[in-house]
Amino acid sequence: MTSPLLGRDAELAALGRLLDDALRGTASCVVVTGGFGIGKSALLDAFTAEARERGFTVRLAKSARLESHLPGAVVRQLAPCLANERDLEELYARAASSARKAPILMVVDDVHVADTFSKRALAYLRPRLQGMPVVMALGASQGYLSTDEVTLPEIAGAHPHRIDLAGLDVTAIAQLTEDFPDRDPQRCHELTGGNPYLLQALLREEGEGSAAVGEMIGMRLREYTGAAEVARSAAVLDGDAGLELLSALTGFDALPAVDTLVRLGVLADTDPLTFRHPFVRNSILADMPIAVRSAAHARAAWLLFESDAPDERVAEHVLKARSVRLPWSVDLLREVGGIEHLERALDEHLSDEDRLAIEVELGHAEHLKNNREGRDRVRDALTACEDPHLAANVALSLIQNMCTGSDAHFAVSLAIMVIARLLPEDRDLVWHLVCTTYLLSANRDAQMAHCAGKYFDDLVGDIPQDPNLKRARSALLAVGNARSGDSSAEAVEHALDALDGEWVDVFGEPYLFTFFVPVLADDPAHINKLWLSHSTAPVSHDPHLRRGMLSMIARAAAFHNSGDLARAYTFLTPPVATGNTECPSVLLASAKFAEVCIEMGQFDEAAPLVTEDGDLLQHINVCYARGRLKLASCHAEGALEDLLEAGRRLAAREMPNPALLAWRHHAVRAYLALGNRDDAARLAHEELDLAKRWGSTRVIGTALMSVGISTDDIDVLVEAEQLLASSPHRLLHAQSLYWLGHHLRRKGRTEAAAPHLRRAFDLARQLSAHPLAKLAGDEVRDKDDQVQGLTRQENRVARMAAQGLTNRQIAETLHLTRRTVELHLSSAYRKLGITGRAELVAALWS
């Protein structure tokens, strides 16, 4: 059997040295402390055995709480032959006489609960035995608060030897658990902190708590006012155990009891409060009757709900309050979702409508786990519903919340099933169901989208009676225009008609949103209308996004189109941070975020955002962004492959509109990087024809740039720059300025190129488009080295000074001495005909 002193070699060695000192005539006092069950008594027993082996006379006493009122109870154990156990002089005389015959070890375990007289006697003896071969060993529990007139420091002295016992380490626990292969030593250490008593109790149990240990802890805590009740409440609240909630749950001020529990080592000194050892918490809960525990969790759930705690934390307590009815929690459980929460909601007293809705939601949650029973549950619940309108509306609500790729076929089957029960006068409800199902299905793979497209003509050909559904129809017309690329003006008109009124549920569908962003983003006023509409949405129909996050994506698209990269980055961060790549809206946000990062030069941040691939419409955006990243990273061949793949996927969905993704423009650049000017020119002219058909400034300006750079046509590049100069698309304008200046320089027209390159540099730097700014800046510097009369080094130093850098900063950046920087600046001033820094900017950029 494993020794109970496993892992205590260092402590035993320290105690052994005290025996050595005693044999040399030096008395000492040692206090062994630690939490309950840490092994104080076992260590003192081993110390006693060693002392006996070495010839010590051993005197043992063990204090007991129930004897703490009996004067002399401990002294009587140390010196049973005393004529009067209350005669301190006789006690000292007997101890001194014994010490002259043989060294003495005097052990008092649990001294903190000894009677007052015995404590006084020990305090009397200790200083009088100095210089004698005596060791006094006292065992005391951690956190002991003295409530009588004699304290532990008065017994042990101001500077006693002290051994504070900690838990066993993982290595020692591994030896202890050799006969328990199902127990992981690391997990055992996490649960018990290596406390030997708790470890032994854990190994006796099948689970991770012990009702017997919980009962024992409760009994020990009863001597401290309120401590047992606070420990129970803390166990129920777990990570929510703040002082205010603890007081509310217990019904009294919990602060004094918390202080006691922390000092005793039951609770850790954290905020919120946690148990030092999870096994202790589990044991306290295991000792609570089920009904009492459920009632406590119900009360905790309500207190957390009232304090605006996260829904998930409230729901955890609701789940543990199975035997208590909590009708207020139904909406919260549905909001949190998930199989377990929805099953708990069904335990409540519900209306027929709510029960049907929850049954359907539960079946959908099971369906997402690839559970056929879930799909059957939904169908059975809808079929059993006697009211066809209720069944249809519940099915509609479910379809609106469907998001993942496995939902489309299921949604179609549900829609067909409930529509079959509706009457001709339910025409609007049928239209709404078909529209929602179409938007869900069209967002899936190309084949599913093609099948769904068959319903598009029927939807736009049938005008609903409900005004909101009429606006939903306008949204479909805008999508139709955007898909085909026929007319930007018509698409915008339909989209604005759709947004002219209160929120309509279909606006939250990812498919429609993905088209509305490029349709409306060309005009700040239009895109503002889109994000305002989404910001007023009553709920988020997307289960992966909080309310208002689609509005953030729309705003980010507006900032991106205007070239405000920093703000686009800020608004895209929260939706991307959700990390759920099964969600189409998150995929769209991730692709946009990657584009922003690429334009800001943050390639490492963009890389993990473009690894996903799949069959959703938004995966095309990811593929396009991946191509852009490879192009920016000088991997032209891989970039061309991804960009052409994005084009092929759009073509498979019959979406030629260049406003959706500018894949042709970047593919042109990739072709040129690979030396294939013919294919670049062909693709550029194709893009221009489609852009003119669509008619928006952004798309035409981009296409003109493609044609200009692929054919080296300055006139076309001038046309692109002039068109974009009057638009809100500042980043595109900066790009047009760069390409115009670049091609002018290539033709040797450096004087004409300079102002375009400088404006491109300034604008790109202002927009945080660092790669573009570097390209333009490099060309500006190359040109300025030739025309300003400055040497390359003088030019670099002068330009850094013009940007506000000090001579010291310039010297450190260029690895020059400050004196060399001063000489370069003086030479530059002389050549430029100026007197100092204040005139540098005008001289360099005039």
Side-chain angles (χ1 to χ4, degrees):
M1 183 173 175
T2 305
S3 168
L5 290 186
L6 184 68
R8 299 299 189 204
D9 294 343
E11 291 84 353
L12 283 172
L15 292 172
R17 287 191 289 273
L18 297 182
L19 298 179
D20 295 337
D21 292 342
L23 292 174
R24 290 191 289 268
T26 302
S28 60
C29 180
V30 60
V31 179
V32 179
T33 66
F36 164 75
I38 202 66
K40 301 183 295 295
S41 297
L43 183 66
L44 290 173
D45 288 346
F47 185 32
T48 299
E50 182 180 351
R52 282 197 175 108
E53 289 178 3
R54 298 175 66 172
F56 278 70
T57 299
V58 176
R59 296 286 182 262
L60 297 176
K62 185 170 180 62
S63 309
R65 185 176 60 84
L66 295 178
E67 297 179 359
S68 61
H69 66 291
L70 301 175
V74 170
V75 170
R76 193 178 296 113
Q77 296 178 62
L78 290 174
C81 299
L82 283 175
N84 180 357
E85 69 275 5
R86 305 191 68 177
D87 187 336
L88 296 178
E89 282 298 328
E90 183 183 355
L91 176 65
Y92 165 66
R94 284 180 175 274
S97 174
S98 180
R100 293 186 189 99
K101 299 174 185 177
I104 298 176
L105 171 62
M106 198 178 300
V107 177
V108 182
D109 199 3
D110 290 335
V111 69
H112 56 287
V113 292
D115 62 279
T116 301
F117 179 79
S118 293
K119 290 179 182 177
R120 186 185 298 281
L122 293 171
Y124 179 85
L125 280 178
R126 181 193 51 75
R128 288 168 173 77
L129 294 175
Q130 294 297 321
M132 297 185 183
V134 177
V135 178
M136 183 182 290
L138 308 174
S141 286
Q142 169 187 339
Y144 164 64
L145 300 174
S146 177
T147 56
D148 57 27
E149 58 194 65
V150 184
T151 65
L152 186 58
E154 288 173 316
I155 299 171
H159 304 289
H161 297 279
R162 189 179 181 95
I163 294 178
D164 297 313
L165 292 180
L168 303 178
D169 59 23
V170 176
T171 302
I173 294 174
Q175 297 179 51
L176 191 65
T177 57
E178 285 178 351
D179 296 332
F180 301 89
D182 58 328
R183 288 294 187 182
D184 174 36
Q186 182 63 46
R187 180 59 180 162
C188 290
H189 188 268
E190 291 171 2
L191 288 168
T192 66
N195 181 294
Y197 173 81
L198 299 180
L199 273 169
Q200 293 289 352
L202 174 63
L203 296 177
R204 290 193 300 268
E205 299 289 336
E206 291 185 3
E208 296 187 344
S210 166
V213 171
E215 181 182 13
M216 184 275 303
I217 291 173
M219 291 173 58
R220 285 180 168 265
L221 292 179
R222 284 179 193 141
E223 64 181 290
Y224 304 101
T225 304
E229 292 83 354
V230 170
R232 278 188 165 196
S233 296
V236 168
L237 286 169
D238 195 14
D240 298 309
L243 188 60
E244 185 177 347
L245 282 173
L246 274 175
S247 298
L249 192 57
T250 56
F252 57 81
D253 181 9
L255 183 58
V258 166
D259 180 70
T260 298
L261 290 167
V262 170
R263 293 182 185 279
L264 291 174
V266 177
L267 296 178
D269 190 13
T270 57
D271 185 20
L273 291 159
T274 56
F275 279 81
R276 177 162 290 184
H277 307 311
F279 183 76
V280 171
R281 173 184 178 263
N282 298 342
S283 298
I284 291 173
L285 290 175
D287 181 49
M288 295 174 67
I290 293 174
V292 174
R293 193 164 64 239
S294 290
H297 279 297
R299 176 66 175 153
W302 177 250
L303 291 171
L304 287 167
F305 180 73
E306 282 195 315
S307 64
D308 293 326
D311 289 349
E312 291 76 8
R313 295 294 301 132
V314 180
E316 282 185 31
H317 291 283
V318 174
L319 290 178
K320 296 170 184 174
R322 285 279 182 182
S323 60
V324 182
R325 299 278 72 81
L326 301 173
W328 59 266
S329 69
V330 172
D331 289 341
L332 178 140
L333 290 167
R334 293 177 67 182
E335 182 68 25
V336 174
I339 294 174
E340 193 175 13
H341 297 105
L342 294 170
E343 287 177 338
R344 174 65 180 87
L346 288 173
D347 290 341
E348 299 296 333
H349 299 296
L350 302 167
S351 66
D352 291 343
E353 182 176 353
D354 285 342
R355 184 164 296 279
L356 174 63
I358 295 172
E359 284 276 8
V360 167
E361 290 169 17
L362 174 57
H364 181 233
E366 292 172 335
H367 154 71
L368 293 177
K369 300 290 185 182
N370 295 319
N371 186 339
R372 182 178 179 81
E373 292 180 5
R375 296 189 286 276
D376 292 341
R377 181 195 291 271
V378 174
R379 294 190 182 100
D380 291 346
L382 292 173
T383 302
C385 179
E386 296 180 358
D387 184 347
H389 294 96
L390 175 58
N393 281 307
V394 168
L396 175 62
S397 178
L398 175 64
I399 295 170
Q400 288 170 339
N401 280 278
M402 288 182 170
C403 189
T404 61
S406 62
D407 279 335
H409 291 284
F410 187 35
V412 170
S413 67
L414 290 183
I416 292 172
M417 184 178 72
V418 296
I419 287 172
R421 298 177 60 190
L422 297 174
L423 299 174
E425 54 264 33
D426 301 319
R427 171 182 162 192
D428 276 6
L429 182 53
V430 171
W431 192 96
H432 199 177
L433 271 162
V434 173
C435 177
T436 305
T437 307
Y438 159 74
L439 291 173
L440 176 69
S441 302
N443 202 65
R444 282 12 188 210
D445 60 82
Q447 184 177 359
M448 190 76 184
H450 178 70
C451 293
K454 297 176 182 177
Y455 294 97
F456 180 82
D457 291 339
D458 292 338
L459 285 167
V460 298
D462 186 10
I463 302 177
Q465 297 298 311
D466 183 274
N468 286 337
L469 294 183
K470 286 181 179 178
R471 293 194 292 114
R473 176 178 174 273
S474 294
L476 292 181
L477 290 169
V479 168
N481 264 289
R483 282 171 51 91
S484 64
D486 285 340
S487 170
S488 171
E490 288 185 25
V492 169
E493 182 182 356
H494 289 309
L496 295 179
D497 286 344
L499 296 172
D500 190 16
E502 61 187 36
W503 172 261
V504 180
D505 290 337
V506 298
F507 294 164
E509 293 294 329
Y511 184 74
L512 190 148
F513 182 79
T514 301
F515 284 100
F516 264 43
V517 168
V519 165
L520 297 174
D522 288 338
D523 188 315
H526 296 163
I527 196 69
N528 285 352
K529 196 164 186 178
L530 177 64
W531 71 254
L532 281 172
S533 173
H534 280 280
S535 66
T536 58
V539 295
S540 173
H541 287 294
D542 191 321
H544 304 114
L545 295 178
R546 296 195 311 272
R547 178 178 175 271
M549 277 198 173
L550 280 179
S551 174
M552 298 180 78
I553 299 173
R555 293 197 73 181
F559 291 133
H560 185 207
N561 270 24
S562 69
D564 193 340
L565 299 178
R567 293 176 78 180
Y569 181 98
T570 299
F571 276 84
L572 284 169
T573 299
V576 171
T578 62
N580 195 320
T581 54
E582 290 186 354
C583 175
S585 300
V586 174
L587 280 174
L588 179 65
S590 298
K592 289 284 182 187
F593 194 55
E595 289 187 65
V596 171
C597 290
I598 293 163
E599 285 157 356
M600 295 177 74
Q602 297 167 196
F603 300 161
D604 289 343
E605 192 170 358
L609 300 173
V610 296
T611 58
E612 292 294 325
D613 206 357
D615 296 326
L616 297 177
L617 172 64
Q618 292 75 20
H619 281 116
I620 306 177
N621 295 75
V622 176
C623 182
Y624 164 73
R626 185 164 58 244
R628 290 199 58 184
L629 176 61
K630 289 178 181 178
L631 185 62
S633 305
C634 302
H635 181 17
E637 188 173 349
L640 183 61
E641 182 180 342
D642 283 326
L643 293 166
L644 293 179
E645 175 61 21
R648 281 191 289 270
R649 294 188 190 185
L650 288 171
R653 293 171 179 262
E654 299 179 351
M655 298 179 185
N657 189 356
L660 302 179
L661 292 174
W663 66 270
R664 295 177 183 85
H665 173 71
H666 298 286
V668 165
R669 292 178 54 201
Y671 271 130
L672 292 173
L674 295 170
N676 189 342
R677 187 168 291 275
D678 291 341
D679 281 337
R682 174 190 55 76
L683 195 58
H685 283 98
E686 175 188 311
E687 180 184 24
L688 183 57
D689 290 341
L690 291 167
K692 289 179 177 178
R693 177 179 161 195
W694 177 247
S696 76
T697 299
R698 171 176 63 90
V699 177
I700 294 175
T702 302
L704 287 171
M705 276 194 284
S706 298
V707 172
I709 63 177
S710 62
T711 61
D712 207 14
D713 191 325
I714 297 296
D715 292 337
V716 173
L717 290 171
V718 168
E719 184 182 356
E721 188 276 323
Q722 291 175 346
L723 180 66
L724 292 168
S726 59
S727 77
H729 310 300
R730 293 178 296 165
L731 182 55
L732 280 176
H733 182 219
Q735 292 170 357
S736 69
L737 286 165
Y738 168 73
W739 287 117
L740 176 56
H742 173 78
H743 282 267
L744 284 169
R745 284 192 72 244
R746 283 182 56 183
K747 293 180 177 293
R749 298 167 61 182
T750 54
E751 290 293 336
H756 299 301
L757 292 170
R758 289 171 185 156
R759 287 172 61 200
F761 172 77
D762 286 341
L763 190 51
R765 188 173 57 173
Q766 178 187 340
L767 300 175
S768 300
H770 304 300
L772 179 61
K774 185 178 186 307
L775 287 172
D778 287 346
E779 297 214 27
V780 167
R781 282 188 287 273
D782 287 345
K783 181 265 173 188
D784 287 336
D785 287 342
Q786 301 169 22
V787 302
Q788 295 287 6
L790 306 181
T791 66
R792 181 179 295 273
Q793 195 73 305
E794 288 170 349
N795 196 316
R796 295 177 71 187
V797 170
R799 290 184 180 283
M800 293 174 76
Q803 292 171 12
L805 275 69
T806 65
N807 287 0
R808 179 179 177 182
Q809 290 170 325
I810 297 170
E812 290 175 351
T813 302
L814 299 180
H815 304 290
L816 303 173
T817 65
R818 292 177 66 179
R819 177 58 179 162
T820 301
V821 171
E822 292 169 358
L823 290 173
H824 282 315
L825 280 176
S826 298
S827 178
Y829 296 157
R830 185 175 65 258
K831 292 179 181 179
L832 294 172
I834 60 176
T835 58
R837 282 176 180 257
E839 303 172 73
L840 263 177
V841 174
L844 289 171
W845 299 101
S846 60

